Amino acid sequence: MKIKKMVLLANGAVPGEPVKTDKNSRRGNWGNQIEFILTSVGYAVGLGNVWRFPYLCYRNGGGAFMFPYFIMLVFCGIPLFFLELSFGQFASQGCLGVWRISPMFKGVGYGMMVVSTYIGIYYNVVICIAFYYFFSSMTNLLPWTYCNNPWNTPTCNGVVTPTGINNTLANVTRSLVTGAAEVAVEVVNKTKRTSPSEEYWKHYVLKISDDIGNFGEVRLPILGCLAVSWVVVFLCLIRGVKSSGKVVYFTATFPYVVLTILFIRGITLEGAVTGIKYYLTPQWHKILDAKVWGDAASQIFYSLGCAWGGLITMASYNKFHNNCYRDSIIISITNCATSVYAGFVIFSILGFMAHHLNVDVSEVADHGPGLAFVAYPEALTLLPISPLWSLLFFFMLILLGLGTQFCLLETLVTAIVDEIGTDWIIRNKTVVTGGVAIVGFLLGVPLTTQAGIYWLLLMDNYAASFSLVIISCIMCICIMYVYGHKKYFKDVEMMLGFPPPIFFRVCWRFVSPIIISFILIFTVIQYKPITYNDYVYPGWSLAIGFLMAMSSVTCIPIYALYKISKSEGTTFLERLKNSCKADIKWGPALSEHRIGHYAAPVSEGEVEVRPLKEELKEKEDEKRDEISLTIQGSNGSTAHNTTPSA
């Protein structure tokens, strides 16, 4: 039975059944479906789930925010997620190649590449700072615990009572004057408190300058960590999805282990229940506030990674008949459940800190880098064996960031390789990956200067904001109304074996575009100039931010005009019509999947053509399998494997 078992594994089918040839040997596929799901979960579940969602939830009505949040998940998040997965999987192309569906809209793919480039640059800087804090936590005493360090100022006021004699003047004065814990708390409440973790962040890690234009020096420790983070990303993607698919077994699952450890520790602390109540208590009157619905829609849209190009890219490595409908529901719900779960972890610790300081939870709650590198690290200093909890927390941030960064880099590399499409560049994809990583590292160097945090927040607020909404809206319009919803529904049915459920068809055509338009209007109406603590960004920096936002959107009309000018036709309308038509190369990548109207001949090189040597090798393997099965059969019968013709 040993030989027979090996034959079954090699063929992937029971003897006597047709062998499925669903692998794209030229471009590659995921090793199995779990790798795709874990990669997509790692891509969708990122830093925003930890440092943005809990803050939005308590700011917008606590538990009441969950209602519009899940409404937006059902009517916008999951449908858009399914649309992008099916789009990439059907064509087996990245965010550029899929626009054979309507070549005039290829600028949408270039816009996705621009957005992914911006995000990839600053996202890895955040990861490198998490690396820095991770290394700094490898000590008996966290360096941001006390105010007795050279970088501290006289206004520093720690929450932990120092045991040594090297205290700052402020702490000595406070202990002498008050003499009692109650009075000390009152002083903390009534005066502006600068925590040691905040001063460590500003004056030691960043050595932050006074203006966005004052770059100062490059912070060499952060630059070194940036190099480490890019090397890690490159090594994990050195063989494309074949290597990253193995890495995600750890990077996508271990953050949940850390979250659970921190959750168990958090809920056992005094004051944790108060923090969780503050996080969840519904304020139902806020349900009627348009801002709450706008925040819910925006968070769903941005946290799932729609319009970045990553979902299309990841799905393009699926086998053609994979059930991406099921996958989209699993991944979307996992992403949102992770956000809710992370809220319990964050607010249990913040509730403990608020109880320790005798202040309201709102005074210690924060979001973004302020939560990750100031508020939460300070809360960790209050725990026994604080370096251990700090190591776990920052290790979790690193893994959450890497999961997203893998897909951002793979999106760019896949788009480049698919666009050029030569055998040489496909064989040397590692070289392209290395080149993109080096460019990403060099472009991230300015963010490691003393003004780096200003630029990082500027990119975070403008590079991937309303431009993503516009890109997603145009993508829906192109697929549903330019290419045609009926044709696309048939394409999905041909791929999955069943048509998209009527709910998704209605959402794709009407509901999701309306919600996306609502997000865009909400973003414009609620716009406020960016600030960082008390620093107000100058006008010229905001102009650069808008240029970054518009750079991805302007790709769409520029390429459309270029394509129209190059299309056949004597009049503008004829050229417009021809540029909107689906390219003859649009459709499944493998010849055996091109049935019906896709069976028309296409140019060599665009659809995978199996080399003669490969076909001969397959025939030899089939003969060898038949011989082994004939020898193995104990009842005298012979099993034959038949391969269907394309």
Side-chain angles (χ1 to χ4, degrees), residues 518-528:
F518 166 69
I519 297 173
L520 179 60
I521 295 170
F522 167 79
T523 304
V524 173
I525 293 175
Q526 294 291 325
Y527 169 75
K528 292 180 181 178

Side-chain angles (χ1 to χ4, degrees), residues 28-40:
N29 292 107
W30 295 106
N32 56 62
Q33 209 48 37
I34 296 177
E35 291 181 9
F36 165 68
I37 291 176
L38 289 177
T39 302
S40 300

